[in-house]
Amino acid sequence: MDSQELAHFIEATGGTFKPWLLAQLRLAKLKEQKQAGELSDDDYESAIADLHQDVMNLGEWWRGIEDEVF
């Protein structure tokens, strides 16, 4: 699924307020930019590190409400 399809899925399923889906969208965009040669290896690694940190900052907010949010 490319970033365009993923964005449509996120919008269609009301996922714009689900940060893990937005992180997946960011990752898809980064992969596309890397494949298109728009990002150097260093820039790509830096962006991945930033994305990783953002995901880690989410913490375990979902504990106890897994059925509701996933």
Side-chain angles (χ1 to χ4, degrees):
M1 181 180 296
D2 68 12
S3 65
Q4 201 74 322
E5 293 170 327
L6 183 55
H8 288 294
F9 169 79
I10 290 171
E11 288 177 355
T13 59
T16 55
F17 298 104
K18 296 179 180 175
W20 62 94
L21 290 177
L22 299 177
Q24 287 180 337
L25 180 60
R26 283 175 59 192
L27 180 59
K29 293 291 283 180
L30 286 172
K31 286 181 181 179
E32 290 170 2
Q33 290 174 330
K34 176 71 171 135
Q35 289 173 346
E38 297 172 8
L39 288 176
S40 69
D41 289 341
D42 290 339
D43 289 340
Y44 180 73
E45 289 178 21
S46 177
I48 292 293
D50 289 343
L51 176 57
H52 176 262
Q53 187 58 54
D54 289 345
V55 169
M56 292 296 102
N57 288 342
L58 293 176
E60 295 184 357
W61 58 269
W62 45 266
R63 291 237 182 239
I65 57 171
E66 293 91 345
D67 292 340
E68 202 175 306
V69 296
F70 294 113

